[in-house]
Amino acid sequence: MEGDEDLRIFGVVRGAVGTYSSHRHQFPVLGAMLLSGQWFGVGPRFVGGGRKLTFIAMEDTELLCFGNAEFQQVSVSCSDLDDQLAQLAQMMSNYSNLIVAELLIPETDRRIVAVLLRLCEGTSGEFSFRLSQAELGEMSNASRDTVNKLVKRLEQCGLLTTRYGRIVVADYEGLARWFDTAGT
């Protein structure tokens, strides 16, 4: 998306897109994964300026892309295009607020599980994510060692399984119950 002069927005048709960001003195880390049905790149279209995040396909991914030409075509038949885009921006703002709320969970294990539950909520079918334990740690602000210990416990409970570079939630309801009762 470098040189993105027409301020394109993108929709994930299938696959997953990772969003990376960093503090000015830190290397970029994975902040979120966007899955099928989610959109990104809306901010610069509304407020101008360059992109603040880096987007990377996490697996084989298909995207929809809308730039200036597509917006001009759609605006002819969609008189409320600006309202529709504002709703899309609001949805992404809500998603960002959810991520911030997860990061405010004080218990590290619950914070990690909250990330997994959010990923599942954006998915239909199998809850399988091309996501390493280190990347899950980045998304939940937890160390890889902490994630590894928790993943082993959750595997023993039958709530998830791991494959190389992949995490599969085997029991979403059980994982949600674990989240609700952990620390009580």
Side-chain angles (χ1 to χ4, degrees):
M1 292 189 301
E2 194 168 320
D4 183 10
E5 301 297 326
D6 67 355
L7 302 176
R8 296 173 286 169
I9 66 169
F10 302 86
V12 181
V13 175
R14 67 174 175 77
V17 173
T19 63
Y20 287 79
S21 184
S22 65
H23 190 270
R24 59 187 171 152
H25 298 298
Q26 181 183 355
F27 289 106
V29 294
L30 178 63
M33 276 179 46
L34 303 174
L35 305 170
S36 296
Q38 293 181 301
W39 290 82
F40 62 95
V42 177
R45 182 145 199 103
F46 286 110
V47 297
R51 304 238 183 244
K52 307 270 188 285
L53 301 172
T54 299
F55 302 99
I56 298 174
M58 302 290 289
E59 56 188 53
D60 188 30
T61 301
E62 181 181 349
L63 300 174
L64 288 175
C65 174
F66 285 89
N68 289 336
E70 291 81 11
F71 280 106
Q72 287 176 356
Q73 284 180 328
V74 170
S75 67
V76 171
S77 61
C78 184
S79 60
D80 66 342
L81 181 60
D82 288 341
D83 291 339
Q84 297 292 325
L85 289 172
Q87 289 178 14
L88 182 59
Q90 182 61 52
M91 286 172 33
M92 293 314 297
S93 176
N94 292 346
Y95 190 68
S96 297
N97 291 340
L98 178 60
I99 292 169
V100 169
E102 289 169 358
L103 292 172
L104 293 174
I105 297 171
E107 303 86 6
T108 306
D109 288 354
R110 290 183 72 235
R111 196 167 54 241
I112 295 165
V113 170
V115 169
L116 290 170
L117 291 171
R118 173 175 42 85
L119 291 174
C120 290
E121 291 167 4
T123 307
S124 59
E126 182 183 26
F127 301 131
S128 175
F129 310 101
R130 204 239 26 98
L131 183 70
S132 71
Q133 291 180 29
E135 290 169 328
L136 178 56
E138 290 177 1
M139 290 175 64
S140 57
N141 195 26
S143 72
R144 187 192 181 290
D145 185 55
T146 300
V147 171
N148 183 271
K149 288 175 184 174
L150 176 63
V151 164
K152 286 180 182 177
R153 286 195 349 247
L154 296 174
E155 281 183 305
Q156 290 170 348
C157 295
L159 299 175
L160 57 85
T161 60
T162 58
R163 302 176 197 142
Y164 182 76
R166 186 164 287 279
I167 297 175
V168 179
V169 174
D171 181 357
Y172 173 82
E173 283 78 19
L175 192 62
R177 280 191 303 277
W178 185 95
F179 176 85
D180 289 339
T181 60
T184 59

